[in-house]
Amino acid sequence: MSTESKDPTTLFITKAWTKAGISSCVKVQGATKQDDFLFDCGYFSSDTTSSKFVLISHGHIDHVGSCIAHARARGLGGSPATYFVPSDIVDHLSEARAAFEKLDNAPIAMKLV
């Protein structure tokens, strides 16, 4: 399916990775590259790094397990991504990021909302 559309509200699923209990990630593309986002981030690859917005459905590891790797890759390439997460996992994801920053000995830019 073509990702070209004159309707700015049209969204296309351009990639999807899923294996129950292991990983889940859906890449969605809108009318422009600025509309590129991920729904869940349990999978990470070079195909996912362009997404500057990530919407997390819930805190299971198969839905958030690659958020830190995604954030680090985005940070290395320039601008950090924004992660929209359920309020009950914000602190847990912040703690995970802090642990990886210690391991990496460098900050990992990540906007948590």
Side-chain angles (χ1 to χ4, degrees):
M1 179 179 278
S2 172
T3 57
E4 293 182 29
S5 172
K6 293 182 182 186
D7 181 356
T9 63
T10 300
L11 298 174
F12 299 93
I13 294 174
T14 58
K15 299 250 179 162
W17 304 265
T18 186
K19 184 165 183 171
I22 305 297
S23 67
S24 178
C25 182
V26 177
K27 185 175 173 112
V28 179
Q29 177 69 51
T32 69
K33 288 284 188 186
Q34 290 75 23
D35 298 330
D36 183 358
F37 68 91
L38 299 178
F39 181 70
D40 286 334
C41 194
Y43 174 84
F44 171 78
S45 76
S46 60
D47 290 334
T48 65
T49 57
S50 64
S51 299
K52 64 180 181 177
F53 300 105
V54 180
L55 291 80
I56 300 297
S57 62
H58 62 284
H60 289 169
I61 197 72
D62 54 327
H63 296 263
V64 300
S66 293
C67 283
I68 305 299
H70 181 266
R72 186 173 184 277
R74 289 280 312 174
L76 291 174
S79 63
T82 301
Y83 300 81
F84 296 92
V85 303
S87 59
D88 61 329
I89 69 166
V90 171
D91 290 342
H92 301 306
L93 202 49
S94 293
E95 291 168 6
R97 177 181 59 184
F100 276 98
E101 287 175 334
K102 288 178 184 176
L103 290 170
D104 211 29
N105 199 30
I108 298 173
M110 189 177 192
K111 296 178 188 173
L112 289 174
V113 177

